[in-house]
Amino acid sequence: ADIRRGKKRMLAFFSDNRAPIARGNWHLLKRLSLVYLVTLLLYAGGAALQTQEPAAPRALLAAIAFQALYSAAVWRLPRTPAPRTVGLLLLLFGTAILALATWLGVFASLDHPGWMLPMCLILMTQFYTVRPLWVLLQDGTAAAVFLALAARYKAAEVFWLDVQSTGIALVVAVVSLWTIIHYKVEANDRQKELDRLGKVDSLTRLLTRRAFLQAYEQLTAPGGAGTATVAVAMLDIDRFKRVNDRYGHGMGDEALE
């Protein structure tokens, strides 16, 4: 039952915040795409191109070319795309990062464990979208490919060190993703409760004056009520002050309830 309630709350959170999550991820993606491109250029100008494995520099140069085109395309978009488009762009961005980290973790680290992929597996959990399962599938696929290549090209003792570091990274990634989403869901529930308390009178469970005026303005605006007919009814309790004076405010509150 607790699992079902937790799943329902998580789905409600992503449904209620689909657009804000997309906007936040979009602004983050635009900046990180440039940061990642600069990082690749700096990495290429350092020790990466001096490695004895020719496959590593070629993969790095291909990643730089792809990221330059990707960053240019992202920054040319005039406004925030639809949430599904943002999710796909994030998926593509993460796949490119994990693919390069996998390749360098094997062919630029044949004699020692690859540290780049485990680190990237953890970092990818920060980009949760309307479908967090995408992040876990992405991390799991990258880890499987990395370990398959490591098993083929690396020595047995180095491969087992890669297995341990990758396994730890996957556990940390899952825990990090769950923690982030749990915190966001709890914050969303608290905000919804605060909004409800600000719109509904706790005693009568009717709309407050401000919430009533907002609803009235929406309904009376052109097209606000659609084809429905709007009616307003007002109730007045005569001599209600006598109830409070004779029986006390507690009894008056019960009468209103």
Side-chain angles (χ1 to χ4, degrees):
D2 292 338
I3 295 178
R4 286 197 298 269
R5 282 196 298 268
K7 181 179 179 181
K8 185 177 180 180
R9 290 172 60 203
M10 186 184 72
L11 293 176
F13 164 72
F14 283 107
S15 176
D16 296 341
N17 298 275
R18 184 181 179 90
I21 290 175
R23 284 196 300 270
N25 282 335
W26 175 245
H27 293 305
L28 183 63
L29 175 63
K30 292 181 69 174
R31 288 159 178 77
L32 284 182
S33 64
L34 293 181
V35 171
Y36 181 57
L37 178 60
V38 173
T39 302
L40 288 177
L41 292 172
L42 294 175
Y43 187 69
L49 293 180
Q50 301 176 10
T51 180
Q52 300 300 317
E53 296 295 333
R58 289 198 298 267
L60 185 59
L61 293 175
I64 291 174
F66 169 81
Q67 189 59 33
L69 294 175
Y70 180 89
S71 299
V74 166
W75 278 91
R76 284 181 62 86
L77 292 175
R79 54 187 177 183
T80 304
R84 183 180 296 274
T85 303
V86 175
L88 292 175
L89 288 173
L90 278 171
L91 185 65
L92 182 61
F93 181 64
T95 300
I97 293 177
L98 293 175
L100 179 63
T102 299
W103 195 259
L104 295 179
V106 175
F107 296 104
S109 310
L110 289 175
D111 56 346
H112 59 273
W115 56 270
M116 189 176 295
L117 180 72
M119 182 182 67
C120 290
L121 291 177
I122 299 173
L123 292 177
M124 284 299 101
T125 59
Q126 307 304 312
F127 299 104
Y128 65 92
T129 63
V130 291
R131 299 183 187 277
L133 185 60
W134 288 1
V135 180
L136 298 179
L137 290 176
Q138 192 178 49
D139 278 6
T141 302
V145 173
F146 170 70
L147 293 178
L149 292 174
R152 179 173 181 181
Y153 292 101
K154 290 188 176 185
E157 59 273 14
V158 178
F159 166 70
W160 285 113
L161 290 175
D162 280 332
V163 171
Q164 295 175 22
S165 62
T166 304
I168 294 173
L170 286 175
V171 172
V172 174
V174 172
V175 173
S176 299
L177 184 62
W178 181 88
T179 303
I180 292 172
I181 294 178
H182 178 73
Y183 170 77
K184 294 292 185 180
V185 170
E186 290 290 336
N188 182 69
D189 289 345
R190 288 194 295 268
Q191 185 60 48
K192 289 172 65 175
E193 180 63 17
L194 289 175
D195 293 340
R196 188 191 68 81
L197 293 175
K199 294 180 179 179
V200 179
D201 180 71
S202 59
L203 182 61
T204 62
R205 295 178 178 82
L206 299 176
L207 292 178
T208 61
R209 180 177 182 275
R210 181 179 179 182
F212 171 78
L213 292 177
Q214 289 178 347
Y216 178 79
E217 291 175 357
Q218 292 176 358
L219 288 174
T220 56
T227 58
T229 301
V230 178
V232 178
M234 181 170 62
L235 301 178
D236 182 28
I237 304 178
D238 294 331
R239 295 178 293 277
F240 184 73
K241 185 176 182 301
R242 295 182 181 179
V243 177
N244 288 328
D245 294 340
R246 183 173 182 178
Y247 300 104
H249 290 279
M251 185 60 69
D253 291 346
E254 291 186 12
L256 289 176
E257 289 179 336

